[in-house]
Every structure is written in C-alpha cells, then in structure tokens.
Amino acid sequence: MFSEFLADYNYIVVIILMMTGLYVVFASRNLIKKLAGLSVFQTSVFLLYITISKVSGGQPPILEKAYAKDYAGLAPETLIAAAEGAGKAAKGHGYNLDITYSNPLPHVLILTAIVVGVATLAIGLSLVVRIREVYGTIEEDQIEKADYIYNLEGTAD
Amino acid sequence: MAVSLNASSVAIPTIALDIGLMALLVVVAFAIVRMRSLFAIVMLQGVYSLVCAAWFVSLDAVDVAFTEAAVGAGVSTVLMLAAMLLADRKSEPVPMKRQWGPLLIVLIAGAAMILAVGDMPNYGAANSPANSYVGMDYIARTAEDIDIPNVVTAVLASYRGYDTFGETVVIFSAGLGVLLLLGLNGNAGRWRAKPNGHRVFRPSAPAAAVSKTSDETKPNETKKRRGRPRKSKASTPDGGDK
C-alpha cells in the first residue's frame, strides 16, 4: 500500500534531484552557479546512499544500553546495579544487540564524502576567483571569447 | 513481509515527513535552476543542504546529518558567499537554444536510472545486499571490539581509520591548493596573470565593477586593495601591480 508506493518514490525523487543538479552543471554558463549545481548533485548522491542504508523499523546505529528497555521505570541506582550485574554478563558488553539498527557503513562513507566534497568545492571556488581576476568575468561565453581573441592576435592589449 | 507490516504500523507520520522533505528538496532544486541572482543561488544551496540534513535524521543517519548541517550547509555556504563576493553577483541568462542539449542528456540519463530503479532493493529492506554483510558485522562487533555505543564513530576512527587519515590528507592538500591559487601573502585580489609579458584581458575586473556599480562592491574592493591610495583605483587599475 502506502509504503509499497514509497519504496520506488524515494529512489525516483533522489534521481530527479540528481538530474536537476547535473542539469545546472551542464546548462549554466556561470561558474559559481555551476559549482552550486555540482553541490546539489553531490548532496543528492549522498541521499541515495543514505536511503539505501535505511532499515525499516531500525534505529540510528548507536547501541542502546541493555537495561534501558528491560528495566524501564526503576530507580537510577537500581538501573546501574542491574547494568553491572545483568548487562555486563551478557554477550554485548551491556549493549542491546537485539534491536534493529540501520546500516552504519554507508553513513561512514558519506561522512568522508561530505568533507572531501567541501575540500574540492574550496579548490573550485578559488579557481573561479583566479579566473575572475585574470579574465574579469566568470561567464564561460566571455572567457571563451577572450581566449579566442588572445589566440587570434597573440595579445588582447 | 513482517518487516513492512511493522514499519507501516509505526511510520505513517515518518512517511508524511519524508514526503514533505522530498517535496521541499525538489522545489529548492528547481528554484536553483531558475534563479539568476548568485546570492539567492548560494543561499538556496545552503537551504538544500539543511533540508537534506533533516531528511538524514529521518533516515537514521544522525552523524551524517550533523556533518551535513555543519559542513554542507555551514562551511560550504560561507565559502561560496566569499567566492561570490570576490567574483560576481549575477549570472547571465542562457539562451534557450543552448539548453536543449543539456536537457536531452539529463532526461536520457534520468530515464535510464529510473528504469534501473526496478532492480533496486525495496526501501528499508533489511536483507538487501548493502545491508546484509559488512555493515551489520560492524554493529555486532563494535560492542566487544571497541566498546563505545556509536558504531559510526567506531567504524570511522578505528575499523576504517586509514580512510579518515586519507580524508585529512585530502583536506590538507585542498587547503594547500587554495593557498597556492590565491596567494600566500594576502595578495589574493591584486595579482594579474601576464603570459608572455602580455595581459590576457584588459579591464582589471574589480576596478571596472566598482566604477560601474559603486555601492555594492565597494567594501569588498577596499578590503582587497588595502594599502593602496584609493584615488588611483578607478583610473589606473593596473598601476600598482609591479
């Protein structure tokens, strides 16, 4: 029913977002707008990965203390004693491994990708600033025109 | 089947939230396509990152949401604003006849990917290949191997520590590259390229922009060229370079 519909809906929306970012990269002739489109494209790819890593009914991959569910409603000191006694003796070092957690691996990969994405964005933007200093514009058409004139005459002066 | 029944009994508000966030993302992305003011584009890109961060929380990726909100919506927006101040405020309109090619490519690529969606595992499937092997192994082992509750931190800093080390190397080289591109001595706005001893393009950009629209670009301009007499700026843009 509704969640069946959502199964495909999710991916399709992410693809639409990706293609929108890609379109901005292709179609716009302004370098900063291009980089903004690249950023949108990149963030959409992150969305695809995180969408894949979701497990239905799952929790964020932060392990829950074993006593949190079993001993709900007790006084704190009783809880601590229970954790020392029952939790530590259990398999998971006091963590409850019976809950469904979402997949942590794509999260880690995307954490790295976000930071690397900002690094590449910084490089791209400083290239844009340099282009602006030399050519006086960040519109691709005018940059190509200036290059054409320069190649034709050897100098634009 | 049992999983999807369980999810549908709990998650109707979550689904509504997801759909709302998706709709917001599509609207923001289309607005970025239509906009011409670079300031609006940069701010919308920040909004896009922030809405993405909200969706990440809904998709159980809380660490990614933190990072996206801080780095994607914060740092990269600041970087783009700074670059926009040093470069330009408006983008020129693109004629319609130059938009058909990109549109065609994007439509074909998108159609191909949407065709491939049928082969993807269902949303939230616990037994999909991506969710079956190594990721779940990390969850099972973190408690005993590393003994901290946050599995993402454990994987990031311990199991895949070399990845994170490589990431810091990337950031270092990016910072180095920015410094080399923009100058190490604070001369970022003053240097001009002169291949073969000739200037590539005549009008010194910031000065020309200032003489045209004085009010908006002036603070930036004076900051960039501090230490020079302000009078000669507009008339002889290239006077002080050598």
Side-chain angles (χ1 to χ4, degrees):
Chain A
M1 35 159 260
F2 200 41
S3 52
E4 298 282 324
F5 168 65
L6 191 74
D8 283 348
Y9 183 80
N10 220 338
Y11 293 123
I12 288 172
V13 169
V14 169
I15 288 170
I16 290 171
L17 292 173
M18 255 195 261
M19 288 304 120
T20 313
L22 191 63
Y23 175 77
V24 177
V25 175
F26 278 163
S28 69
R29 311 290 287 171
N30 183 294
L31 294 178
I32 287 197
K33 190 172 176 186
K34 246 182 218 291
L35 282 175
L38 194 65
S39 191
V40 168
F41 186 34
Q42 202 174 28
T43 315
S44 312
V45 175
F46 301 161
L47 278 177
L48 180 70
Y49 269 71
I50 300 298
T51 299
I52 290 173
S53 81
K54 167 79 176 163
V55 175
S56 294
Q59 290 190 4
I62 299 173
L63 302 179
E64 205 170 88
K65 280 286 184 192
Y67 57 80
K69 199 172 63 177
D70 305 338
Y71 297 88
L74 295 185
E77 51 269 24
T78 327
L79 285 185
I80 292 167
E84 295 297 326
K88 283 286 181 192
K91 192 183 89 189
H93 279 240
Y95 297 117
N96 186 357
L97 298 182
D98 296 331
I99 310 175
T100 312
Y101 297 105
S102 288
N103 187 1
L105 185 57
H107 300 183
V108 178
L109 301 180
I110 294 310
L111 277 183
T112 309
I114 288 175
V115 177
V116 169
V118 167
T120 52
L121 179 74
I123 288 280
L125 287 173
S126 53
L127 276 173
V128 171
V129 170
R130 284 290 300 129
I131 286 172
R132 159 74 163 162
E133 282 174 3
V134 174
Y135 286 86
T137 178
I138 55 170
E139 296 288 336
E140 266 188 349
D141 296 337
Q142 295 173 30
I143 293 170
E144 279 163 14
K145 205 159 94 185
D147 273 347
Y148 179 70
I149 292 173
Y150 180 76
N151 288 334
L152 214 61
E153 304 177 357
T155 168
D157 259 345
Chain B
M1 262 307 127
V3 168
S4 80
L5 276 179
N6 184 16
S8 64
S9 63
V10 179
I12 289 300
T14 314
I15 289 172
L17 178 73
D18 279 356
I19 289 179
L21 289 176
M22 284 178 208
L24 207 56
L25 283 175
V26 172
V27 168
V28 171
F30 282 4
I32 289 177
V33 175
R34 301 294 302 167
M35 288 278 179
R36 280 182 50 212
S37 157
L38 287 183
F39 182 74
I41 289 171
V42 170
M43 294 320 287
L44 278 177
Q45 185 261 330
V47 168
Y48 187 87
S49 286
L50 203 61
V51 177
C52 271
W55 198 15
F56 286 151
V57 174
S58 164
L59 291 173
D60 289 349
V62 283
D63 301 83
V64 184
F66 268 125
T67 314
E68 181 68 36
V71 176
V75 174
S76 71
T77 307
V78 169
L79 284 178
M80 292 194 80
L81 276 180
M84 188 200 73
L85 283 176
L86 288 173
D88 212 345
R89 295 294 181 96
K90 274 261 178 211
S91 68
E92 298 291 324
V94 179
M96 199 59 213
K97 67 174 189 282
R98 311 191 66 161
Q99 294 185 18
W100 291 118
L103 195 63
L104 192 70
I105 293 173
V106 161
L107 283 180
I108 291 173
M113 291 174 78
I114 285 176
L115 275 182
V117 160
D119 292 339
M120 293 287 282
N122 277 341
Y123 170 66
N127 55 356
S128 69
N131 293 341
S132 294
Y133 304 103
V134 61
M136 293 305 154
D137 218 39
Y138 284 137
I139 288 180
R141 290 184 183 202
T142 293
E144 289 182 39
D145 285 353
I146 311 204
D147 199 12
I148 58 168
N150 193 333
V151 184
V152 174
T153 309
V155 178
L156 190 76
S158 181
Y159 288 114
R160 302 182 72 93
Y162 281 115
D163 272 14
T164 310
F165 175 67
E167 172 192 333
T168 53
V169 171
V170 167
I171 297 168
F172 174 74
S173 8
L176 209 61
V178 171
L179 280 179
L180 289 174
L181 278 167
L182 294 184
L184 294 162
N185 49 3
N187 273 349
R190 302 173 65 172
W191 196 80
R192 299 283 180 278
K194 292 173 183 170
N196 306 325
H198 294 297
R199 188 170 296 281
V200 171
F201 197 62
R202 183 67 182 284
S204 168
V210 161
S211 60
K212 254 187 285 174
T213 63
S214 55
D215 281 340
E216 287 198 355
T217 45
K218 190 159 267 178
N220 168 40
E221 176 63 26
T222 53
K223 209 176 90 189
K224 259 193 321 184
R225 307 219 166 179
R226 99 169 73 80
R228 287 222 259 149
R230 291 187 58 185
K231 234 183 281 176
S232 65
K233 180 171 53 190
S235 52
T236 60
D238 46 351
D241 278 349
K242 271 291 163 189

